[in-house]
Amino acid sequence: MSVVIVDYGMGNIGSVSRAIEECGASVMVSADPEVLLVASHVILPGVGAFPDGMEHLKVNSTDQVLHEIATKGTPVLGICLGMQLLADSSEEVRKTQGLGLVPGEVEKMSSHSGTLRVPHVGWNEVNVVTECPLFKDIPDASDFYFVHSYYYLTRQRDHVMAETPYGDNFTSVVARENVFGVQFHPEKSAGFGLRMLKNFISL
Amino acid sequence: MLKTRVIPTLLWKDFGLVKGIGFDSWRRVGTVLPAIKVYNRRDVDELILLDITATVDQHEPDYTEIESLSAESFVPLTYGGGINNLDIITRVLRAGADKVAINTAAYDNPELIQQAANRFGSQCVVISIDARKNDKGHYDCYSHSATVRTDRELVSWARQCEAAGAGEILLTNIDRDGTMEGYDVEMISLVSAAVSIPVIAAGGAGNAQHMLEAIVDGKADAVAAASIFHFTEQTPAEMKRYLSQHSIPVRNVNNKK
């Protein structure tokens, strides 16, 4: 097994590495296409804004490498901004094209006329919509830690693995074959978060 | 739905944890790493770690220590103390903190809030506001660990911070802090009504009823506390059980892993 976390200059790489180690696996952090292409599992972390994220991914053509990896069938997990980057585009700051690995758009969360706080910060329940291996041994409606102002609007319902209620239900877990995305931070969601990461590296 | 958070605050002075009353009379209460480990073992919601002498003594954050501490935390950790430029924020986040709390530096340089939000995202930026009521019944903001009164009024400052891109506000009442006599609910509700970003209430928690008041009457999104967890037998889990019994949505009161 070789779990590799994509180092593209954005993302809490330390926390994600530490969490994977806590799951009992060794992990590498790399921007090197050679390393990424032979990984058994690839994790795309992400903290910050979408346009910056894409700009950083274009350095060293990491975006193209991710396409190759996805086509090969390697399991890929996008976390938070990393999940959003899987989309076709985002309206954050300015309309920007994403990786287009799971069809959909990223939009700003609504405060519902000021009745809801944005950013969405804290623990919220993740309700499974489609059976997905990430949820093995995790009770349905478990809480995970969210901190974001934008959400993923999938184009196809069958790519929605789980939803979370905040005003309306928004998609909190997406998957398309071997490519997965989670809006919350499993590396910061205590026991169930670690279990989810373990499930990912067991794929 | 989104759960209300109970957040233990750890105050760090020199090499250990301390707790005071009204930001004074600091007592040693242990060391940081064991506290972080214990809280994580007990499934805490989130942690706040504040280095209370960094700004006053003008030293940078202890990045190595932050790295060791955040390595033991699998729930979000906010670090505050001496955050006054983007380079420091970069290093603190790289060391493993999930969010930074900015207090004094924001008064001298409000642009820092916008710059930090642009570079790292609002979700990483918590503005920490220490305030006390003056004899005219209004709230003044204080800097430098509550030793310097600024010319900022609380509500307008909170609004300014939100407009500049702050992700959350950590709001502490200086006079209530350490007293365990209850939060300043009036102060909390003033800020909660004025902003649309999450407000974390701090200063004065002595029991779960105080927390309930901060949430129901003050409309706080989260409650932070220190003395109650250092000096009494009460635990965050007990606080959450009480809140849950009073219909406040909290995390993991019933679920057992």
Side-chain angles (χ1 to χ4, degrees), chain B residues 25-41:
Chain B
S25 316
W26 301 103
R27 288 161 62 178
R28 292 221 162 274
V29 291
T31 45
V32 193
L33 185 59
I36 302 239
K37 284 181 167 168
V38 168
Y39 278 129
N40 266 271
R41 256 205 305 278

Side-chain angles (χ1 to χ4, degrees), chain B residues 26 33 37 42 67 83 86 93 101 106 116 130 191 194 250:
Chain B
W26 301 103
L33 185 59
K37 284 181 167 168
R42 297 210 186 126
E67 203 176 320
I83 307 283
L86 293 180
L93 294 177
D130 300 325
V191 174
V250 292

